[in-house]
């Protein structure tokens, strides 16, 4: 790969009290936190409540698809299906990003990788087939010290991005291996790649590697990075423009 970056987990600084002169700034931070929590709660409520109308739209689409037989009738319906799927995906990413703020459960449990990889292989097989790309997932019996839901979400976002940015005829490959006390889970593609100047910003919220593509909110890699921070995992990125990218999740392995 032409360009390589490594992102270590963020370490939280310990809080400190510095007397009366710090009270004003503390109150300001508290007010900001209340405002942030309020906004997050509203977004979470909206994310939850919008799922129901989306399900109704999807069900109506399925019924209409059975009644429309002419090709010219099917085309608008196909566009509506794609738009609905994009909306559902963006909504899911918003809710997932908000949930990262609220994780307080145990984050260092033994997590077998094989079931996660097998489920993700089945989940994305059809999307890869329809796009005309090779999608290979190598299962492993390794066990990571991680969190099943967060680790699955990280890999799901990386695989989805790889498929989205890989043209027909290309490939997406997911592998894992143990290196000493670490597990390295790689998602590699032969897609568009990422320019070197963009590598430092791709993990920001609402940032897309390719700004010419309007689809999505640009939250996928933001979710990956913040989940990695919560888990104490590391993210490594290697990319060459027009040749592809490789994202590696580095986690601790069980003994």
């Amino acid at each position: 790969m032409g360009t390589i970056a490594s992102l270590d987990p963020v370490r939280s600084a310990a809080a400190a009290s510095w007397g009366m002169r710090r009270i004003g700034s503390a109150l300001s931070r508290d007010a900001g936190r209340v405002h942030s929590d309020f906004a997050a709660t509203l977004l979470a409520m909206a994310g939850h409540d919008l799922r129901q109308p989306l399900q109704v739209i999807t069900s109506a689409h399925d019924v209409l698809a059975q009644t429309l037989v002419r090709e010219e009738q099917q085309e608008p319906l196909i566009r509506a299906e794609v738009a609905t799927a994009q909306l559902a995906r963006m909504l899911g990413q918003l809710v997932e990003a908000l949930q990262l703020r609220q994780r307080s459960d145990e984050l260092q449990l033994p997590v077998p990788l094989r079931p996660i990889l097998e489920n993700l292989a089945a989940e994305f097989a059809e999307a890869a087939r329809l796009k005309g790309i090779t999608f290979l997932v190598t299962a492993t019996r390794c066990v990571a010290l991680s969190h099943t839901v967060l680790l699955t979400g990280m890999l799901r976002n990386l695989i989805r991005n790889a498929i989205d940015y890989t043209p027909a005829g290309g490939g997406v490959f997911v592998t894992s291996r143990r290196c000493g006390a670490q597990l390295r889970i790689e998602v590699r593609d032969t897609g568009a790649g990422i320019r070197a100047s963009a590598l430092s910003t791709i993990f920001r919220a609402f940032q897309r590697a390719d700004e010419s593509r309007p689809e999505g909110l640009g939250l996928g890699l933001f979710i990956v990075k913040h989940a990695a921070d919560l888990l104490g995992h590391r993210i490594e990125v290697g990319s060459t423009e027009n040749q592809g990218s490789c994202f590696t999740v580095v986690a601790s392995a069980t003994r």
Side-chain angles (χ1 to χ4, degrees), residues 33-236:
R33 188 179 301 114
V34 169
H35 176 76
S36 177
D37 290 345
F38 178 68
T41 300
L42 287 179
L43 279 172
M45 291 172 62
H48 178 271
D49 293 343
L50 286 172
R51 290 179 184 273
Q52 181 60 31
L54 272 175
Q55 291 175 353
V56 173
I57 293 171
T58 301
S59 298
H61 169 274
D62 292 341
V63 172
L64 283 172
Q66 297 175 7
T67 61
L68 301 179
V69 294
R70 296 204 306 272
E71 185 175 345
E72 61 269 21
Q73 294 176 321
Q74 289 281 348
E75 288 181 1
L77 198 60
I78 292 173
R79 289 196 295 271
E81 180 183 19
V82 171
T84 303
Q86 289 176 346
L87 180 59
R89 182 166 62 251
M90 289 187 289
L91 179 60
Q93 286 187 336
L94 276 174
V95 173
E96 191 175 348
L98 290 170
Q99 288 174 342
L100 288 177
R101 297 162 53 94
Q102 303 166 0
R103 298 286 181 183
S104 59
D105 45 354
E106 179 59 55
L107 298 178
Q108 290 292 320
L109 296 172
V111 176
L113 292 184
R114 189 180 188 90
I116 292 177
L117 295 178
E118 288 179 343
N119 289 338
L120 289 172
E123 179 179 337
F124 286 100
E126 182 65 7
R129 186 189 68 80
L130 291 175
K131 196 169 182 182
I133 65 176
T134 300
F135 178 48
L136 295 177
V137 179
T138 303
T140 178
R141 298 192 181 277
C142 294
V143 178
L145 286 175
S146 189
H147 185 282
T148 301
V149 174
L150 290 181
L151 183 58
T152 301
M154 292 170 65
L155 296 175
R156 177 179 290 116
N157 276 291
L158 291 176
I159 293 171
R160 181 186 297 121
N161 271 8
I163 291 176
D164 285 347
Y165 284 93
T166 299
V172 174
F173 310 94
V174 183
T175 60
S176 61
R177 68 182 188 277
R178 179 164 183 159
C179 298
Q182 295 180 335
L183 283 181
R184 299 178 61 85
I185 311 166
E186 295 184 352
V187 179
R188 180 171 56 87
D189 66 67
T190 61
I194 305 167
R195 66 184 187 277
S197 61
L199 278 177
S200 62
T201 64
I202 58 174
F203 290 96
R204 295 176 185 172
F206 308 109
Q207 185 76 30
R208 288 188 291 267
D210 184 356
E211 292 293 344
S212 66
R213 295 168 54 115
E215 301 91 349
L217 290 174
L219 281 173
L221 292 179
F222 169 82
I223 291 170
V224 169
K225 180 62 171 65
H226 280 260
D229 289 343
L230 284 173
L231 294 168
H233 297 348
R234 188 171 76 251
I235 304 294
E236 296 177 355

